[in-house]
Amino acid sequence: MASFSHLAKLEVSGNKTVDFAIFQIEGAPVLHVVAASESNRAYFNELLRKGGKRQAKKKVDAETVKSNREEDRVLYARHIVKGWSGIKDDKGKVVEYTEGECLGFLSSLPDWIFDELRTFASDLQNFIEAPIDVEDKAKN
């Protein structure tokens, strides 16, 4: 029987941390994040618990999207952002990472920047050892 062990490098670890730079902010501060996926059990379990409540509404409108984003800010501070560098307060003072400070920072981000973080953290190719180079593969 053939071996397919080479595919193991495509598994996403729930504790692999990668950097997400926020170029829209002066100094391009960096958040150290883990995947927002099933591989992050604490995050995924809490997401599923909250998902049941979300699904009960069945109505998707602008208010639902806003509410989901605000819940995600809490989940990301708790389970996704594990540290940071270069985050400064409005007086220019470097802020040490804590979960509480992280929630304050994520809550202050404009929605569109927070949505970029959500997109990055949920794209599992950002968390694998050997990212897939689609262009290179297409040449073969």
Side-chain angles (χ1 to χ4, degrees):
M1 182 173 274
S3 171
F4 300 99
S5 61
H6 64 287
L7 298 176
K9 67 183 176 186
L10 299 175
E11 286 294 328
V12 174
S13 166
N15 58 7
K16 178 179 173 54
T17 305
V18 297
D19 290 345
F20 175 78
I22 308 173
F23 296 107
Q24 300 87 346
I25 299 175
E26 186 178 340
V30 174
L31 302 178
H32 311 300
V33 301
V34 295
S37 73
E38 190 175 353
S39 66
N40 181 336
R41 293 190 139 203
Y43 166 76
F44 199 67
N45 285 334
E46 190 166 348
L47 184 68
L48 290 174
R49 280 192 299 276
K50 291 182 179 290
K53 295 174 189 172
R54 289 178 181 177
Q55 231 175 15
K57 287 178 112 176
K58 294 187 182 185
K59 179 179 153 187
V60 177
D61 56 16
E63 189 56 40
T64 302
V65 170
K66 182 176 174 57
S67 175
N68 289 348
R69 183 182 293 115
E70 296 313 307
E71 286 180 12
D72 280 351
R73 291 180 198 267
V74 173
L75 290 176
Y76 271 57
R78 188 175 298 146
H79 300 293
I80 303 302
V81 179
K82 298 299 182 180
W84 61 33
S85 57
I87 301 291
K88 297 179 181 177
D89 64 14
D90 55 0
K91 294 178 183 168
K93 181 181 173 199
V94 173
V95 178
E96 294 296 318
Y97 173 83
T98 67
E99 185 180 315
E101 293 288 6
C102 183
L103 179 57
F105 177 76
L106 295 179
S107 296
S108 297
L109 282 177
D111 293 344
W112 66 274
I113 295 176
F114 182 69
D115 287 346
E116 283 189 12
L117 170 61
R118 291 163 84 193
T119 299
F120 179 88
S122 63
D123 183 350
L124 300 184
Q125 288 192 60
N126 291 321
F127 298 91
I128 58 176
E129 291 299 320
I132 300 167
D133 184 347
V134 177
E135 290 180 15
D136 187 47
K137 295 292 180 192
K139 293 176 188 174
N140 291 333

